[in-house]
Amino acid sequence: MATAMVQGALAANLSLTSVPFTLSSRTVAAPTGIGAVMHTVDAGGPKGAAEVGIAQAGLDGLCVHATQSVNLPVIGSLGTWSLNISSPAAATPLTSDQLAGGEGLQARKLILDAQALKTSKATLTASDATPNVIGAAADGNGIKGSGINDGTPGQFGLDATGGRTTIEGLKADANGATIAGAITLPDLTIGIAHGTTSC
C-alpha cells in the first residue's frame, strides 16, 4: 500500500510540475545541422535559456534524468527521488556516418529548452555557399528549418544548418524537450529510484 502511494505521488508530481532534467547522449549526428536562439522560460529557476533545434537527429543512446523532492500530506517528506528514462548506447560506439545514415535512435524535430548545453566535442560542418552564421536572425529560414518556429525577430541566433553537426558527449540541463515526429527507443527503460542515481 505504501509503495503504491509513493508511486502514485511521484507520477502526479512529475506530470504536473515543471522539473528541470538532464538529457545526455554519447554521440548525436544532425545531418542538416542545428539552430539555436535565446529565449525566456519559466521553470522555477533561471529565466534565461537557449532553445536548440535539430531537424533530424541520430543518437547513440539517450538518458533523461530528473530528480524531485516528494512530500505527502500527513506523512511529510519522502526524500529525493529520481526518474530515469533511458535507451542504452550501442555496445560498439556508432560513428557520425552511421547515425546520419539511420542507425541508432532517430528523432525528427528535436527541440530542447536548455539552461546549459555542454559537449566534449562538437563539429559544425559548413561551406562557402552555406556558412554557419553566429548572430543570425532568430526567425531566419535556416533556424526555422531546424524546427524552431518561435524565434523573435531581431534577437540573436546561431544558424549552423549548412551541413552536418556532430556532437560528442552531449549533456543538456533542460527545462523541456519536444519531438515532433516519432522516436524509436530500443531497450527502453523507465525507472524510479530513491536518491539521485542517474541512468
Side-chain angles (χ1 to χ4, degrees), residues 72-193:
L72 293 178
V74 181
I75 295 175
S77 174
L78 296 178
T80 300
W81 290 76
S82 295
L83 171 66
N84 293 312
I85 302 169
S86 66
S87 184
T92 300
L94 297 173
T95 66
S96 180
D97 286 341
Q98 289 174 306
L99 293 169
E103 294 186 49
L105 316 179
Q106 296 293 316
R108 187 176 64 83
K109 291 194 177 175
L110 171 63
I111 309 294
L112 290 174
D113 287 328
Q115 293 175 9
L117 190 149
K118 301 175 185 176
T119 74
S120 58
K121 180 180 179 182
T123 304
L124 288 70
T125 307
S127 68
D128 290 341
T130 56
N132 294 322
V133 180
I134 299 172
D139 64 335
N141 289 334
I143 290 176
K144 286 182 178 178
S146 74
I148 300 172
N149 294 311
D150 58 354
T152 303
Q155 287 195 347
F156 184 94
L158 166 65
D159 183 348
T161 59
R164 183 192 302 174
T165 294
T166 301
I167 299 170
E168 299 176 14
L170 171 67
K171 182 178 179 182
D173 295 326
N175 300 307
T178 60
I179 298 172
I183 182 170
T184 301
L185 298 167
D187 300 318
L188 173 66
T189 300
I190 301 174
I192 295 176

Side-chain angles (χ1 to χ4, degrees), residues 39-81:
H39 75 125
T40 302
V41 295
D42 185 5
K47 302 297 181 186
E51 189 172 13
V52 179
I54 305 175
Q56 181 67 37
L59 301 92
D60 188 4
L62 176 69
C63 171
V64 176
H65 170 69
T67 61
Q68 185 171 341
S69 296
V70 177
N71 292 291
L72 293 178
V74 181
I75 295 175
S77 174
L78 296 178
T80 300
W81 290 76

